[in-house]
Amino acid sequence: MSLKAFHIVFIALSILMAFGCGAWLLHEYVGTRDLAELIVGVASILGGAGLVWYGRSVLRKLKHISYL
């Protein structure tokens, strides 16, 4: 597995984890009304969006390198 392929897999898993944790924390906030869960949930969603932007920019930069 090339460094490019590993990077794409790692970023994709990080995006899924960020959005998953953010959704879970926002769901918990609805039940508990704990402000810390709201803040961390929103930060996690924003971090996931940042990772999507980062992943797209890496793919554009490394488009000439093969996946093998």
Side-chain angles (χ1 to χ4, degrees), residues 30-52:
V30 171
T32 63
R33 299 290 181 197
D34 185 13
L35 186 60
E37 289 177 346
L38 175 64
I39 292 170
V40 175
V42 170
S44 182
I45 297 291
L46 291 174
L51 284 168
V52 169

Side-chain angles (χ1 to χ4, degrees), residues 19-68:
F19 283 134
C21 287
W24 173 62
L25 284 165
L26 292 177
H27 177 72
E28 288 294 314
Y29 169 73
V30 171
T32 63
R33 299 290 181 197
D34 185 13
L35 186 60
E37 289 177 346
L38 175 64
I39 292 170
V40 175
V42 170
S44 182
I45 297 291
L46 291 174
L51 284 168
V52 169
W53 174 80
Y54 172 74
R56 290 186 69 208
S57 66
V58 166
L59 283 176
R60 270 188 258 131
K61 183 177 181 177
L62 300 177
K63 66 182 173 185
H64 65 280
I65 299 174
S66 74
Y67 291 99
L68 299 175

